[in-house]
Amino acid sequence: MIRLCLLLLALLSFTCLAQQVASEQLVVGQKVTIKSQILNEQRDLLIYLPKNYDAEKKYPVIYVLDGEFYFIPTIGVVSSLSATKAIPESLVVALPTSIRVRDYLPPIDGEAKSRQQKFTQQKFPRFGGTKNFQDFLEQEVFNFIDSHYSTLPNRTLIGHSNAGVFSLHTLLSKPDLFTNYLVISPAPWWGEKEIDNNFANIRDLKSAKNLFITLASESGRYYSHMMRLLANFKSHAPNSFQWQYQHLNEHTHESSVYPAIYQGLSYLYSDFNYTPSVELAKYGDMATIASYYEGLSKKYGFTVNIPHNVLAEFASQQLNMGRNKQAFETLNYFVEHNPNASYAHQNLAFAYMRTEQHLKAKESFTRALNLYQKNGGTDYTVVDFLNDMIGNMESNLTR
């Protein structure tokens, strides 16, 4: 009887504990379905926004083919790299596959002239719709994303296997469609003539392009195909075309996708990953950083703004070295070019506080708080912190 009572008490305690456990669904993105007039079908878009997405800022967009497989893994990589400032915060737009060979495999010029071309015609009779798929991306997908979200004309395309063929074909036939191309183990179905002839298209690029291309442990046709590609890149790539090849020979065709995305995005955005040096903080000024980003803007053909963390870090370094005048020049630039950014005014407030200008510090902390709330900020810890800082400055003023 005693054992039965103890068992009932244990079950009752477990039930009460279970009832106290709350659960909620975690949402990593959204699915949008659009009607494509070009492809004459409904197409899904899987969309991920950065955690602190701000419509006042503009973001690069990473487009992922075979989105049903690679949307979630790409989000993980992008979140990790952006959290460590290795790449800028970015939108991820994944496109699940419809008719894979139709959309991804380019047409053959004339009659089949090789065993690979004959194989393509026999095994994939619906191939050759890459022009329509490119038009679908440019005219329908880009227009939808750019009209609904705050984006930069800085687009990255990720494609694996047959989707890697499409990515490579787009780079060579319509290079200005994307800024960056991440091509993973492109399948060797595309004919040699098409490869050789299309490489001429990258000689006169309108703006800079970047490529990261990989091969896994595939051998045979995959390897010979890749060697032909690399030889053509070495022969034809202009100075405005930056590229890197990585042989991921410890991985399979399937497993190589994930390290390729990580390494590829790190490389493709490497020139955006600017870290002010100690020497620059000690001897230089804001003009050097501004000049660097002006060069990036010219290189890519769109305005590349200086990231907030770069300005904040540089000003902090200058203050630590006692270069207060130069630090305030940096912070005034920060505020002038980002007048609605709470973070800019917060950093200026800290500089005023560190130099014991308590009235100006209070004013800047107040602006930071007002802008944070105006911009929809709801994190109570941020609000409490800024209110505490305002109160501390008031106390200093009354001493």
Side-chain angles (χ1 to χ4, degrees):
M1 187 67 175
I2 294 175
R3 289 181 179 178
L4 178 61
C5 291
L6 291 174
L7 178 61
L8 290 173
L9 285 172
L11 289 172
L12 181 62
S13 299
F14 178 79
T15 302
C16 293
L17 179 62
Q19 290 175 343
Q20 294 174 9
V21 175
S23 66
E24 61 178 301
Q25 189 173 7
L26 296 177
V27 179
V28 297
Q30 60 179 312
K31 181 175 79 171
V32 174
T33 302
I34 63 175
K35 169 64 177 176
S36 170
Q37 301 298 324
I38 294 172
L39 300 178
N40 192 31
E41 62 187 11
Q42 302 279 350
R43 294 300 295 254
D44 291 336
L45 305 178
L46 309 179
I47 303 169
Y48 162 81
L49 302 180
K51 180 180 179 181
N52 297 314
Y53 174 79
D54 181 356
E56 295 293 323
K57 297 170 58 178
K58 291 185 178 295
Y59 299 85
V61 186
I62 298 169
Y63 289 90
V64 186
L65 302 180
D66 292 327
E68 67 271 35
F69 303 115
Y70 302 133
F71 179 54
I72 297 298
T74 303
I75 289 174
V77 172
V78 170
S79 298
S80 173
L81 290 174
S82 61
T84 56
K85 312 302 181 186
I87 68 172
E89 289 187 316
S90 304
L91 275 68
V92 176
V93 178
L95 292 91
T97 307
S98 174
I99 304 173
R100 201 164 190 263
V101 296
R102 178 201 68 185
D103 294 339
Y104 295 164
L105 298 186
I108 293 172
D109 183 15
E111 296 294 324
K113 301 176 182 64
S114 67
R115 186 174 65 177
Q116 290 181 3
Q117 290 181 341
K118 291 177 182 178
F119 176 85
T120 301
Q121 287 185 336
Q122 292 170 3
K123 187 172 180 62
F124 308 124
R126 301 184 70 179
F127 79 100
T130 47
K131 173 63 167 59
N132 280 346
F133 194 67
Q134 288 173 342
D135 291 343
F136 161 66
L137 290 173
E138 183 174 24
Q139 299 173 30
E140 296 180 328
V141 176
F142 293 173
N143 286 342
F144 177 85
I145 295 299
D146 294 343
S147 63
H148 286 80
Y149 305 98
S150 184
T151 63
L152 287 168
N154 181 0
R155 305 184 181 103
T156 296
L157 178 63
I158 299 177
H160 169 244
S161 195
N162 282 346
V165 174
F166 173 80
S167 303
L168 183 64
H169 172 68
T170 299
L171 169 62
L172 298 179
S173 65
K174 203 167 185 178
D176 288 320
L177 205 57
F178 293 89
T179 305
N180 302 312
Y181 293 82
L182 206 170
V183 181
I184 307 168
S185 291
W189 315 135
W190 199 15
E192 295 178 354
K193 179 181 177 182
E194 282 75 11
I195 293 174
D196 293 344
N197 289 348
N198 279 279
F199 263 92
N201 293 329
I202 67 171
R203 289 175 180 165
D204 301 313
L205 293 172
K206 296 178 182 177
S207 59
K209 304 297 170 189
N210 302 308
L211 166 70
F212 188 84
I213 187 167
T214 70
L215 184 70
S217 58
E218 302 101 341
S219 58
R221 285 177 297 171
Y222 273 88
Y223 184 80
S224 60
H225 178 65
M226 180 60 69
M227 294 305 101
R228 189 179 190 89
L229 292 174
L230 299 182
N232 272 287
F233 280 120
K234 290 178 181 178
S235 300
H236 295 89
N239 292 334
S240 59
F241 184 81
Q242 302 297 315
W243 65 283
Q244 184 177 106
Y245 164 67
Q246 189 73 36
H247 189 192
L248 302 172
N249 60 343
E250 71 277 21
H251 288 279
T252 66
H253 184 69
E254 289 77 19
S255 71
S256 69
V257 176
Y258 313 107
I261 292 175
Y262 186 91
Q263 294 180 38
L265 291 178
S266 299
Y267 171 78
L268 294 171
Y269 287 105
S270 57
D271 53 1
F272 288 82
N273 187 15
Y274 182 93
T275 302
S277 66
V278 174
E279 290 75 15
L280 181 61
K282 188 173 182 179
Y283 301 110
D285 56 28
M286 185 62 226
T288 301
I289 297 177
S291 177
Y292 178 83
Y293 282 91
E294 286 170 5
L296 278 188
S297 300
K298 184 178 180 180
K299 175 181 178 180
Y300 289 110
F302 59 84
T303 301
V304 181
N305 293 318
I306 304 175
H308 293 183
N309 65 290
V310 171
L311 294 167
E313 180 181 350
F314 187 54
S316 179
Q317 288 177 326
Q318 291 172 316
L319 285 170
N320 290 339
M321 294 178 179
R323 303 187 74 211
N324 295 350
K325 177 182 177 181
Q326 290 78 8
F328 279 107
E329 288 175 356
T330 300
L331 291 166
N332 286 328
Y333 178 99
F334 193 178
V335 169
E336 180 183 348
H337 288 79
N338 303 274
N340 296 317
S342 172
Y343 188 57
H345 293 277
Q346 180 179 315
N347 276 271
L348 180 59
F350 276 119
Y352 283 135
M353 182 181 69
R354 289 178 63 175
T355 55
E356 298 185 351
Q357 301 180 65
H358 302 302
L359 178 59
K360 289 184 176 181
K362 175 189 172 183
E363 293 171 348
S364 289
F365 277 126
T366 302
R367 289 193 194 98
L369 174 61
N370 292 338
L371 284 169
Y372 180 77
Q373 294 175 320
K374 180 181 178 181
N375 294 336
T378 57
D379 189 336
Y380 72 91
T381 59
V382 176
V383 174
D384 286 350
F385 170 75
L386 291 173
N387 275 319
D388 287 344
M389 297 309 298
I390 293 169
N392 290 340
M393 296 307 101
E394 288 177 344
S395 297
N396 289 328
L397 288 170
T398 57
R399 288 177 183 173

